[in-house]
């Protein structure tokens, strides 16, 4: 006689609950099939007709399935008769069951929730809303996050049209604008930065099979973005029957300073972390300090390299926070200074091109001393040429220790700041530099923060923080 199989009580109860849920889901699906049958007065002839009908009815199916699962999983909350007031801890009795319809990516979901009211605190509460993690309004977080994927790439009106075409649901551009600024508010560089574990994973993938530690590059630069003053928010008096006048405010191009960490992997770069904001150099320095103190960058696992132009404020922060990093003056910024010298001294001639090519070659080989000596021996023929030569000499002499380009190339370090220039383009320019777009500074920073989170791979954690903030506000 074989041994009897021992089945736990929890396992029996789980099987029974799953069996009940399956029956409820089958009933929901049968109801949807009845609706589908009514929609097809005659059998469809083409695949496009079939997909069009199923597309129109899909939310009724997926939303209904979601309703059934929620009702089954939270049956206890739906039948709750008592609750505790979160303020005074009084025991409250259920007052009524109130319906609510929320919109999700799978369709509308109808809920029936018990309502409790504390007369002493004069506040009502819905425990089921908290259990489900619902937010204020009918548009839930999954819809807001999907819309954020669009509005961070295209204008709001375009995002509204795309969202409707791709999902079959309406999401107004004004509502998108509101929640985007709410989600992007008060974000810091650490809120959008990947975790140290994630950065270590990216480093490990690049360093696999190599003897030397990979090169991690830090680039710092700025990009001009169009902004409008806060005074533009003020309503203007209009005259009935008169043509609208041009806005009295004037736009201003502001410097969106940013930083980018990225790994070198042969001919390609692996993005690690970006942070761009319309800010001054002190704010950017504070962001760098937060990254340093939080230990987000595992400096012991990489060869850190900083590539920037000759701005004094950049190197001040680099020297204070990353003194052991290899410092590189952008080779192509040097080329701009040399071209100015050639144009001012030789004019538009073949000799100017020959001089620039020969000087750039010496600089490329790390012979900055020869370049400085050649500039010192030049005899300018005009005040313009003398000024260009003096500026170039001062620039190269000040950053002489950052121009060992031959040694840097042997070590696998980059010579140019193309990585941060690329970040300026795909973080700032692509979204903010639109025809006719003039951004309030706060709104531009919200958008830049969300775009940084998107390309850092941390948009999910930003929305978790946003959800937590909404819960704290509601409490």
């Amino acid at each position: 006689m074989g041994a009897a199989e021992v089945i736990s009580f929890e396992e029996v109860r789980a099987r029974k609950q799953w069996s009940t849920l399956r029956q409820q889901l089958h009933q929901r699906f049968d109801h949807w099939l009845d609706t589908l049958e009514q929609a097809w007065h005659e059998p469809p002839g083409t695949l496009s007709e079939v997909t069009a009908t199923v597309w129109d009815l899909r939310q009724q199916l997926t939303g209904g399935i979601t309703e059934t699962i929620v009702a089954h999983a939270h049956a206890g909350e739906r039948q709750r008769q008592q609750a505790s007031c979160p303020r005074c801890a009084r025991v409250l009795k259920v007052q009524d069951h109130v319906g609510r319809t929320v919109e999700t990516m799978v369709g509308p979901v109808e809920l029936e929730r018990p309502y409790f009211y504390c007369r002493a605190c004069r506040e009502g509460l819905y425990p089921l809303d908290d259990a489900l993690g619902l937010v204020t309004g009918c548009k839930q977080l999954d819809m807001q996050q999907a819309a954020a994927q669009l509005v961070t790439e295209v204008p709001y009106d375009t995002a509204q049209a795309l969202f409707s075409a791709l999902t079959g649901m309406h999401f107004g551009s004004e509502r998108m604008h509101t929640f985007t600024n709410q989600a992007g508010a008060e974000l810091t560089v650490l809120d959008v930065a990947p975790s140290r574990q994630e950065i270590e994973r990216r480093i490990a993938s690049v360093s696999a099979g190599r003897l030397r530690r990979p090169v991690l590059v830090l680039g710092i630069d700025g990009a001009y973005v169009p902004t409008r003053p806060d005074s533009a928010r003020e309503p203007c008096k209009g005259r009935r029957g008169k043509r609208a006048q041009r806005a009295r405010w004037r736009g201003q191009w502001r410097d969106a300073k940013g930083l980018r960490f990225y790994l070198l992997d042969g001919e390609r770069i692996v993005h690690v972390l970006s942070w761009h904001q319309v800010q001054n150099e002190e704010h950017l320095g504070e962001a760098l300090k937060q990254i340093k103190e939080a230990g987000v960058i595992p400096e012991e696992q990489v060869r850190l390299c900083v590539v920037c132009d000759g701005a004094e404020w950049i190197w001040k922060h680099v020297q204070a926070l990353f003194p052991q990093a290899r410092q590189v003056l952008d080779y192509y910024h040097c080329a701009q200074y040399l071209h100015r010298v050639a144009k001012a001294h030789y004019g538009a001639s073949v000799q100017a091109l020959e001089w620039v090519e020969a000087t750039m070659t010496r600089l490329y080989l790390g012979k900055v001393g020869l370049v400085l000596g050649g500039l010192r021996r030049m005899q300018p023929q005009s005040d313009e040429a003398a000024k260009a030569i003096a500026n170039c000499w001062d620039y190269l002499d000040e950053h002489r220790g950052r121009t060992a380009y031959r040694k840097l190339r042997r070590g696998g370090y980059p010579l140019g700041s193309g990585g941060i220039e690329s970040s300026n383009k795909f973080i700032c320019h692509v979204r903010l530099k639109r025809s006719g777009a003039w951004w309030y500074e706060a709104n531009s920073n919200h958008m830049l923060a969300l775009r940084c989170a998107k390309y850092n791979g941390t948009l999910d954690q930003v929305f978790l923080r946003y959800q937590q903030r909404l819960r704290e506000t509601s409490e």
Side-chain angles (χ1 to χ4, degrees):
M1 185 174 179
E5 181 181 0
V6 179
I7 302 177
S8 66
F9 174 74
E10 290 78 7
E11 184 178 354
V12 173
R13 184 171 59 180
R15 289 181 180 179
K16 184 176 180 180
Q17 290 178 350
W18 178 245
S19 177
T20 303
L21 178 59
R22 285 178 62 93
Q23 293 177 3
Q24 295 173 352
L25 291 175
H26 279 300
Q27 293 174 2
R28 178 71 71 167
F29 185 69
D30 289 339
H31 179 69
W32 182 79
L33 289 177
D34 294 338
T35 305
L36 181 63
E37 184 179 5
Q38 295 175 3
W40 280 340
H41 301 291
E42 58 183 28
T46 63
L47 177 61
S48 60
E49 293 177 355
V50 175
T51 56
T53 305
V54 174
W55 175 266
D56 292 337
L57 299 177
R58 77 193 188 285
Q59 291 181 15
Q60 181 178 343
L61 173 62
T62 54
I65 290 176
T66 305
E67 281 181 26
T68 304
I69 296 175
V70 168
H72 180 81
H74 295 272
E77 287 291 343
R78 295 173 64 244
Q79 299 169 5
R80 175 188 286 221
Q81 297 298 315
Q82 293 182 341
S84 177
C85 177
R87 287 197 173 186
C88 64
R90 282 186 172 88
V91 177
L92 308 177
K93 292 184 178 181
V94 63
Q95 299 293 317
D96 195 3
H97 283 74
V98 181
R100 179 185 180 185
T101 300
V102 295
E103 296 182 28
T104 68
M105 290 299 294
V106 299
V109 178
E110 297 181 1
L111 303 171
E112 196 76 20
R113 317 109 74 212
Y115 172 67
F116 300 88
Y117 183 77
C118 180
R119 297 183 182 276
C121 300
R122 296 183 178 181
E123 287 191 1
L125 65 149
Y126 294 95
L128 182 59
D129 288 7
D130 296 334
L132 292 175
L134 302 184
V135 297
T136 305
C138 60
K139 312 289 186 185
Q140 294 305 297
L141 281 177
D142 59 343
M143 285 190 68
Q144 295 185 19
Q145 187 166 351
Q149 298 280 356
L150 291 174
V151 299
T152 52
E153 294 294 339
V154 297
Y156 288 100
D157 290 340
T158 306
Q160 176 186 352
L162 287 174
F163 192 91
S164 178
L166 295 174
T167 67
M169 294 180 286
H170 176 73
F171 205 138
S173 59
E174 289 296 329
R175 181 62 184 139
M176 288 183 177
H177 187 275
T178 300
F179 93 78
T180 298
N181 288 321
Q182 291 174 347
E186 301 178 4
L187 289 177
T188 67
V189 63
L190 296 182
D191 293 325
V192 304
S195 64
R196 181 184 176 95
Q197 291 75 18
E198 172 60 21
I199 294 177
E200 289 177 343
R201 186 193 65 78
R202 299 180 191 181
I203 293 173
S205 65
V206 173
S207 60
R210 299 184 181 182
L211 297 178
R212 293 195 295 183
R213 293 173 296 167
V215 174
L216 179 68
V217 183
L218 166 60
I220 304 174
D221 199 8
Y224 285 103
V225 297
T227 64
R228 66 173 72 185
D230 288 336
S231 60
R233 299 180 185 270
E234 301 175 0
C236 299
K237 294 182 179 180
R239 298 174 61 185
R240 183 175 300 176
K242 297 293 183 180
R243 186 175 181 179
Q245 298 181 354
R246 184 178 178 87
R248 296 181 180 180
W249 55 268
R250 298 191 64 179
Q252 182 182 4
W253 290 88
R254 301 281 303 280
D255 192 15
K257 290 182 170 60
L259 59 92
R260 184 187 189 188
F261 286 93
Y262 57 94
L263 292 161
L264 295 183
D265 185 14
E267 297 297 325
R268 72 186 188 98
I269 63 177
V270 177
H271 179 77
V272 174
L273 168 63
S274 279
W275 178 247
H276 298 258
Q277 294 279 274
V278 179
Q279 58 188 344
N280 56 36
E281 58 96 2
E282 294 180 358
H283 293 151
L284 183 62
E286 182 61 28
L288 270 175
K289 184 178 179 181
Q290 292 178 19
I291 294 174
K292 175 71 174 182
E293 293 179 348
V296 174
I297 303 299
E299 298 180 44
E300 70 282 356
Q301 300 179 20
V302 295
R303 292 179 290 151
L304 185 59
C305 168
V306 183
V307 182
C308 301
D309 58 23
E312 180 181 354
W313 65 269
I314 295 179
W315 297 111
K316 177 185 69 175
H317 293 299
V318 170
Q319 189 62 35
L321 297 173
F322 303 103
Q324 303 301 322
R326 185 63 60 94
Q327 300 181 8
V328 182
L329 180 67
D330 183 16
Y331 175 78
Y332 301 98
H333 276 81
C334 297
Q336 293 178 0
Y337 276 84
L338 294 174
H339 276 281
R340 293 192 193 106
V341 171
K343 182 178 180 181
H345 188 69
Y346 297 105
S349 63
V350 176
Q351 188 178 5
L353 296 177
E354 292 176 347
W355 181 86
V356 168
E357 184 177 350
T359 307
M360 289 299 299
T361 301
R362 295 189 186 96
L363 193 63
Y364 187 73
L365 295 175
K367 300 178 180 180
V368 66
L370 296 179
V371 174
L372 290 171
L375 289 172
R376 182 66 74 186
R377 291 190 297 271
M378 294 181 73
Q379 299 179 358
Q381 303 299 318
S382 63
D383 293 340
E384 180 185 2
K387 183 178 179 180
I389 292 171
N391 289 341
C392 185
W393 193 92
D394 291 340
Y395 183 78
L396 292 177
D397 182 64
E398 180 181 359
H399 301 286
R400 179 184 296 204
R402 305 181 177 111
T403 58
Y405 295 124
R406 186 174 186 176
K407 182 178 179 181
L408 291 168
R409 286 187 289 111
R410 288 178 177 176
Y413 296 99
L415 305 186
S417 59
I420 183 63
E421 298 287 354
S422 173
S423 183
N424 285 336
K425 180 178 179 180
F426 70 78
I427 296 289
C428 302
H429 296 170
V430 168
R431 183 63 184 91
L432 268 60
K433 282 189 174 181
R434 296 276 180 170
S435 177
W438 294 92
W439 296 74
Y440 294 113
E441 179 181 332
N443 293 353
S444 65
N445 282 338
H446 298 161
M447 179 60 70
L448 289 173
L450 290 177
R451 285 185 63 80
C452 289
K454 180 176 181 179
Y455 287 100
N456 292 344
T458 57
L459 193 60
D460 289 341
Q461 74 182 38
V462 166
F463 267 84
L464 287 175
R465 175 185 177 276
Y466 172 54
Q467 183 181 17
Q468 182 63 31
R469 193 167 74 244
L470 290 178
R471 288 180 177 177
E472 294 174 355
T473 303
S474 63
E475 295 175 357

